[in-house]
Amino acid sequence: PAVPEQFFSLTAVPDGSRCCDEANLITFETCCVPWKLEEFGIGKAACWTAPYTYSRCCLPPHVSARDMFVCSDHWQPFRKALQLYTGVFEAGLGKMAQRPQAECLVGACMAVLMQLVAVVHELQLMLPDSAEKMTELIDLYKYGNRCLSHILMSPITMTEILASGWSFGLVLRTLHWELTNHKDLAERLGLRPRQTSHKSSYEQFIYDHLQQAKRMPRDVSFSLMSLGARDISEHAELMAVASWVQAWSLKTVEGPRAPIFEQPALAGEALQLLSLGDLHFRNLLIGAWNPLSVGKPELQQRFQDVEQKRPLEILFRSELGMLLFELLA
């Protein structure tokens, strides 16, 4: 069923921090994204002179999604083509994949991942394999891991990613599908599928309900949370799925059928569940519990260099998580 706009609105709004000062190089990408490990949770130290601070300029507002991640000018045709999932080559996919991520945090990464999908397609048609294309594939995969890690380690919420219109979930799901169906190329990238393709009972139950757009029983999420609570760091995927599956149920099934006067409260509940799943999702992919708050220096010892993080490798083994992410988008 269609979701009324007033129920689950993910419309981005202008940033209210009034921090953007391009003349003095004060932008989110320049100052808030941790391009270096030591900038995680504190930003670029050179940016923070009065009246600018990390808390004011980087941390997301509690309610609304900032529109700064939509990107403008020459990114717009490509973003619209990606939303329609057609015409991405005509919109300059190859050139956009070469643009620096500092220019458009989410969009540049989506261009790289879509270019990775395109190269996988090309290699399937080449007999014998092109050494040049294989090198390009490996380079794109490494850059894809790096750019995705920069997004996940930045103070940008899942709501803001979805509201940016960059089809984040769809792109990741497409890449997951391509690599799953082209196992030879996945193996060359060092990707290993889950040890078993058999879905557990809870996975199959959730998968069936998602496919049939049926309401997700609360006890399913409670069961997943109780399992994950035994060792949160070990079961981050369970905790993320438990939160997102209820957000999806509220968005797709329960919210649209609820009385109009109840929908604002249900929408708020769905967004809270989306945020909770976001925390566990990031913990799963990069080992960071809370990149959306001011970091503590001692926590940085837990993190490897961003170059060593491989979130795409983890996503390759997380079919259910990717399906939920696509549906939430």
Side-chain angles (χ1 to χ4, degrees), residues 91-329:
L93 173 60
K95 291 183 178 179
M96 303 311 284
Q98 296 176 11
R99 305 294 300 183
Q101 192 179 12
E103 188 176 284
C104 183
L105 180 65
V106 181
C109 192
M110 294 305 95
V112 169
L113 296 181
M114 281 303 298
Q115 183 70 5
L116 182 56
V117 170
V119 172
V120 170
H121 272 299
E122 291 180 30
L123 279 169
Q124 288 298 306
L125 301 175
M126 291 180 177
L127 294 173
D129 288 345
S130 164
E132 183 179 348
K133 277 294 174 184
M134 274 306 306
T135 299
E136 182 181 0
L137 178 75
I138 293 171
D139 288 345
L140 283 168
Y141 173 71
K142 290 179 179 178
Y143 187 30
N145 270 311
R146 189 162 65 249
C147 74
L148 185 55
S149 294
H150 282 136
I151 292 174
L152 295 170
M153 293 180 72
S154 296
I156 171 176
T157 66
M158 191 66 68
T159 302
E160 290 176 320
I161 292 174
L162 297 178
S164 70
W166 277 110
S167 304
F168 192 67
L170 180 60
V171 171
L172 288 173
R173 177 65 175 164
T174 301
L175 179 59
H176 179 276
W177 186 89
E178 289 289 348
L179 291 174
T180 300
N181 285 276
H182 300 137
K183 291 184 172 59
D184 56 330
L185 294 178
E187 289 177 359
R188 295 191 190 191
L189 293 174
L191 296 175
R192 296 289 184 269
R194 300 191 328 176
Q195 293 182 352
T196 174
S197 59
H198 177 69
K199 292 183 176 65
S200 67
S201 57
Y202 87 83
E203 285 180 310
Q204 189 63 56
F205 182 84
I206 292 175
Y207 188 85
D208 291 343
H209 275 62
L210 292 175
Q211 292 295 309
Q212 299 168 32
K214 295 169 63 177
R215 186 187 74 84
M216 200 65 63
R218 292 284 191 273
D219 61 322
V220 173
S221 288
F222 292 151
S223 296
L224 294 177
M225 288 181 178
S226 64
L227 286 172
R230 298 174 187 175
D231 188 340
I232 293 178
S233 61
E234 184 70 22
H235 299 289
E237 182 179 359
L238 278 178
M239 301 298 280
V241 169
S243 301
W244 281 351
V245 75
Q246 282 303 322
W248 173 85
S249 189
L250 284 168
K251 170 189 174 183
T252 308
V253 185
E254 299 171 60
R257 298 174 182 174
I260 295 296
F261 66 88
E262 289 186 356
Q263 289 186 1
L266 290 176
E269 182 181 339
L271 290 173
Q272 287 293 330
L273 287 165
L274 184 64
S275 298
L276 180 60
D278 182 6
L279 290 177
H280 292 295
F281 183 69
R282 295 184 199 227
N283 183 46
L284 170 69
L285 296 185
I286 60 174
W289 269 111
N290 196 0
L292 305 178
S293 63
V294 178
K296 298 180 180 179
E298 60 269 22
L299 292 182
Q300 293 181 356
Q301 297 177 2
R302 291 183 52 198
F303 309 137
Q304 298 176 350
D305 191 306
V306 69
E307 296 282 348
Q308 302 301 318
K309 296 182 183 300
R310 297 184 176 89
L312 292 177
E313 182 176 336
I314 299 172
L315 291 175
F316 184 64
R317 300 193 299 267
S318 181
E319 179 180 358
L320 188 61
M322 282 295 90
L323 178 60
L324 278 166
F325 197 48
E326 179 184 343
L327 288 171
L328 285 170

